Amino acid sequence: MNHIPATMRGAGIGAPVRRIEDMRFLRGQGRYVDDLGGSDLAQLVMLRSPYASARITRLDASKARGMPGVLLVLTPEDIQELGVLRCITPRLQRNGSPLAQTPWRMLAMGQVRYVGDAVAAVIATSRAAAQDAAEAIIVEYEPLPAVTDVAEATKPDAPQLWPDLAQENESVLFRLGDAAAVDAAFARAAHVTRLDFRITRVSANPMEPRNALASYDPVEDRYTLTTGTQLPHVMRNEIAEFALKIPSNRLRIISPDVGGGFGMKESPFQEYVLALHGAKRLGRPVRWTATRTESFLADTHARDNVSKAELALAADGTFLGFRVHTLCNVGAYLAWQGPVSATNNVGGLAGVYRTPHIFTEVRCIFTHTQPTAPYRGAGRPEAIYAIERIIDLAADEMGLDRIAIREKNLIQPEAMPFRTGLDYTYDSGDFPKNMALALKAADWAGFEARRAEAKARGKLRGIGIANAIESAGGPHRGPLEESAEIRFDSGGSVTLLMGSHNHGQGHETVFRQIASERLGIPAERIRFINGDTDIVTHGRGTIGSRSMMAAGGALVGAAERIIARGKKIAAHFLEAAEADIEFSEGQFRIAGTDRGIGIEALARRSYIPGQLPMGEELGLSALLITRPGDATFPNGCHIAEVEIDPETGEAETVAYVVVDDVGTVINPLLLKGQIHGGIAQGLGQVFGEDIRYDANGQLLTASFMDYLMPRAADFPDMVVKSNPVPTKTNPLGVKGAGEAGTVGALPVLINAVVDALRPLGIHHIEMPATPERIWAAIRKAG
């Protein structure tokens, strides 16, 4: 059990407790995958395609197999018994049939479809030996035409990636909303605002790259994979059943400390399967760790879509209808949840407004690029970007105030529950109060004085606002299940076993806070376990801002079961009626007396033979696997200010305020950390992060020399305030916070940049808003 600092003792729900995990991380005592393993480890290296599109005409690994230190070389012909990586997202093609699965093999057979597509694997006694052998493998290619831009890929003369599976490279056609009602709204509109925009392609770039440590036990005929993943149990089932083709109980997955996931680490990958396969073939453990450049080439990417948005308004600024057509780049293969980001959260297009009629059409398009998959926000930032950017543009075109037009169309709290114009039903929230609090905290009224002061210094200052909302907790038509187990041992000590996984959120802290408050046990006496499929019975994992509502709700339910059973046991020990037993602050007592027993002492006695009636189950534990009542809708208002140097185009974020409603706040300190992290990733995409390819499909941004990551100096002091409106859909009243910062950051920062440039006649700028792009826009404007 980790050392629990004294600052956590006695702290329950709502206390600003520092993460107890940080104690070991700051001391270098974290247990990441690369910290584990013995001296007999073999090293796996992948050979990847240098072409975006090519036929493989020759693959000769004979020289590599004879090189010093080489233990095993794998080519496509050597692993034909292995399965493929599949897409699990239930979406339809244009003809109404289920999406066609693309055969994403562990090694490409016959043809490669993106730079980085794996063609061979080498396992050797050292990484250097494996790398040398990989370079000795002879692969001859016949280059083919490639297309990387999603709009270009839809043209009739574009290269076709899967001519037998997809016409015009279209994998999925997804439509949502009443198109006829939207058309009618546009027909009667006094004004229509149109905006074409692109959401750039990004890479997750977690601090800890993807990795794997694989072993095989011939006695049990069983595999173990230690890897940093967000979904240990789900990945176990997926890899076992569909890649290795074995029962799930023959694969154990251990996910220790994880240095960031951000959605990318929810998916299974080829390297994990090949490491396991190699471990069995060799009878020794196999390690693989991606280099940073390899991460750019082999991790799934994210975002990358082009949209056309149109907003219909009445003469007074009332929203009448909204429609968005999107082309989403899913890459060369359908990733495990490839179409999710583009299609699963489009209900967010409604924003926090009363727009009665909304329609969206999404086409998922194949290109010769890495597959795309969920990344922090997973479609939510894109949706809020569309509505919040077009509102600013509409206000500008109609001569209306940006705040007034939003206030006019906001959903009012008394209207809850509110069925939006596109799919979602919001159960709670006070959107006008969010905005009012944010305007006051940001001193919106005093902005013009700050703009004038900046102008005197030769700077262009702008202010942006964005109201954000998202669906959290999983599919809104039924959130997925999660597990929590509370287990008292025979010594009376308690352990939490949680199905969700901690990779930076602070689960070890907040779940202890919840358990401590519910059971009355000091947090320092509670052990916490997650991330091991052999120890934790079940888990859906950590995605979609779901942990507090799903796992937290399960933990509350398990605690209630512990208390109910404890009352029954206490009644026997205290020789009282069960109905007379009360529980409070860790003590079972006979109501109205001072006679009682502590929960830990009760648990210890419950294991002693003869202490309970004959036939009564011994011990004290509870496992609950349950689903929350419904999805939740975290919401908030973001306001940001930027200053631009017109001579260089450099933009600096000088102020950022956010007021968020995440329901019940379990730990305000950790909440702010989550919001800060989300904003950081949004700011990174707005001002620099951008995966780029050349005309031949070569990745131009395969290192941090070319892919611009945000630095600490890029951020102002971020003011985070709460306006909690607890939901009734789960026992804790929580709504989720992991993605909230990112959802609002994209639109608010671009809105601020455009506001700074508006005096020059510039009404939109695409991301990333780099100095070069801003400088060029200023020069073009004259």
Side-chain angles (χ1 to χ4, degrees), residues 613-690:
M614 185 65 67
E616 180 69 30
E617 178 185 353
L618 301 185
L620 183 62
S621 64
L623 166 65
L624 182 61
I625 304 173
T626 186
R627 283 173 40 171
D630 204 347
T632 62
F633 296 94
N635 58 88
C637 181
H638 296 235
I639 296 177
E641 295 184 40
V642 301
E643 283 191 359
I644 295 172
D645 184 338
E647 298 301 318
T648 65
E650 184 177 4
E652 178 186 3
T653 305
V654 295
Y656 202 110
V657 171
V658 56
V659 174
D660 258 308
D661 167 20
V662 299
T664 302
V665 177
I666 305 296
N667 184 318
L669 192 63
L670 270 60
L671 168 62
K672 288 182 179 181
Q674 286 291 298
I675 300 298
H676 287 172
I679 292 170
Q681 288 180 287
L683 184 146
Q685 182 166 8
V686 166
F687 290 114
E689 294 189 56
D690 187 15

Side-chain angles (χ1 to χ4, degrees), residues 510-581:
V510 292
F511 287 132
R512 280 186 172 102
Q513 286 182 259
I514 295 170
S516 177
E517 178 164 299
R518 294 285 170 154
L519 299 177
I521 300 173
E524 63 269 21
R525 296 214 291 267
I526 300 174
R527 188 184 181 208
F528 177 90
I529 295 176
N530 70 178
D532 189 329
T533 60
D534 270 14
I535 300 175
V536 179
T537 301
H538 177 71
R540 180 60 63 171
T542 302
I543 51 173
S545 304
R546 68 185 301 272
S547 288
M548 277 302 101
M549 61 173 292
L555 179 56
V556 169
E560 291 173 350
R561 291 188 176 186
I562 288 286
I563 293 168
R565 173 160 168 75
K567 286 182 177 180
K568 182 178 181 180
I569 297 172
H572 175 73
F573 289 160
L574 299 174
E575 299 179 330
E578 185 177 337
D580 292 336
I581 301 297

Side-chain angles (χ1 to χ4, degrees), residues 8-25:
M8 189 175 182
R9 293 171 187 166
I13 293 174
V17 179
R18 292 183 180 274
R19 292 195 320 177
I20 64 168
E21 301 95 310
D22 293 344
M23 188 71 70
R24 68 175 187 273
F25 294 152

Side-chain angles (χ1 to χ4, degrees), residues 211-561:
N211 46 38
L213 176 60
S215 61
Y216 174 76
D217 181 351
V219 176
E220 283 199 86
D221 188 20
R222 196 162 187 261
Y223 301 82
T224 297
L225 174 65
T226 303
T227 185
T229 176
Q230 299 171 226
L231 315 177
H233 292 82
V234 176
M235 185 176 290
R236 176 200 61 188
N237 297 348
E238 191 70 21
I239 290 177
E241 296 174 24
F242 297 97
L244 296 175
K245 301 179 181 179
I246 59 174
S248 59
N249 64 2
R250 285 178 54 198
L251 173 62
R252 177 188 188 184
I253 287 189
I254 302 171
S255 187
D257 290 330
V258 179
F262 311 122
M264 184 272 291
K265 288 185 181 176
E266 71 177 45
S267 302
F269 287 91
Q270 287 92 339
E271 299 89 356
Y272 307 161
V273 179
L274 293 174
L276 290 165
H277 181 74
K280 180 178 181 179
R281 291 271 298 266
L282 295 172
R284 63 191 292 182
V286 174
R287 181 191 296 285
W288 173 80
T289 302
T291 66
R292 185 57 65 182
T293 291
E294 191 173 21
S295 293
F296 278 107
L297 291 169
D299 293 351
T300 50
H301 290 164
R303 316 277 199 238
D304 197 353
N305 47 67
V306 175
S307 296
K308 296 180 179 293
E310 299 173 286
L311 180 64
L313 304 98
D316 64 353
T318 300
F319 302 162
L320 303 177
F322 187 39
R323 60 187 172 204
V324 181
H325 290 78
T326 297
L327 297 176
C328 172
N329 191 340
V330 294
Y333 304 88
L334 287 173
W336 189 61
Q337 294 206 73
V340 160
S341 295
T343 61
N344 206 51
N345 294 301
V346 292
L349 289 168
V352 295
Y353 306 105
R354 300 191 311 274
T355 314
H357 306 294
I358 306 173
F359 174 78
T360 184
E361 178 185 274
V362 179
R363 297 176 64 197
C364 294
I365 305 298
F366 291 119
T367 65
H368 291 102
T369 62
Q370 282 161 254
T372 55
Y375 168 69
R376 198 170 193 167
R380 301 165 181 88
E382 297 93 315
I384 297 302
Y385 184 91
I387 184 63
E388 291 296 321
R389 274 298 297 127
I390 206 166
I391 290 173
D392 262 25
L393 196 58
D396 192 33
E397 291 175 353
M398 298 179 71
L400 299 174
D401 179 76
R402 288 179 287 166
I403 303 303
I405 194 173
R406 286 176 167 86
E407 290 176 337
K408 185 176 189 64
N409 290 280
L410 281 175
I411 300 166
Q412 300 300 308
E414 58 269 20
M416 298 295 177
F418 184 88
R419 177 72 175 179
T420 72
L422 190 68
D423 208 29
Y424 289 168
T425 298
Y426 301 152
D427 68 295
S428 61
D430 192 339
F431 311 143
K433 186 177 180 182
N434 286 346
M435 196 160 75
L437 290 172
L439 291 169
K440 181 178 179 181
D443 186 24
W444 184 278
F447 173 72
E448 289 305 325
R450 297 192 294 278
R451 192 200 295 269
E453 187 274 333
K455 184 176 181 181
R457 291 185 283 107
K459 297 293 183 69
L460 301 171
R461 189 164 179 137
I463 190 168
I465 186 169
N467 289 311
I469 193 166
E470 56 170 312
S471 171
H476 65 278
R477 291 185 182 86
L480 300 173
E481 83 288 350
E482 195 50 88
S483 77
E485 183 176 2
I486 301 172
R487 185 187 300 169
F488 285 86
D489 61 33
S490 57
S493 297
V494 64
T495 299
L496 304 183
L497 301 99
M498 303 300 298
S500 63
H501 192 274
N502 183 26
H503 42 92
Q505 294 85 351
H507 289 182
E508 295 180 33
T509 303
V510 292
F511 287 132
R512 280 186 172 102
Q513 286 182 259
I514 295 170
S516 177
E517 178 164 299
R518 294 285 170 154
L519 299 177
I521 300 173
E524 63 269 21
R525 296 214 291 267
I526 300 174
R527 188 184 181 208
F528 177 90
I529 295 176
N530 70 178
D532 189 329
T533 60
D534 270 14
I535 300 175
V536 179
T537 301
H538 177 71
R540 180 60 63 171
T542 302
I543 51 173
S545 304
R546 68 185 301 272
S547 288
M548 277 302 101
M549 61 173 292
L555 179 56
V556 169
E560 291 173 350
R561 291 188 176 186

Side-chain angles (χ1 to χ4, degrees), residues 728-782:
K728 296 180 180 179
T729 62
N730 61 76
L732 289 168
V734 295
K735 293 181 178 178
E739 292 158 304
T742 312
V743 174
L746 264 65
V748 75
L749 289 166
I750 288 292
N751 281 350
V753 170
V754 173
D755 184 59
L757 300 174
R758 188 175 288 110
L760 306 179
I762 298 171
H763 302 285
H764 181 64
I765 193 163
E766 294 283 12
M767 64 178 74
T770 59
E772 178 188 14
R773 179 166 284 168
I774 293 175
W775 182 88
I778 292 173
R779 300 282 86 76
K780 183 177 180 181

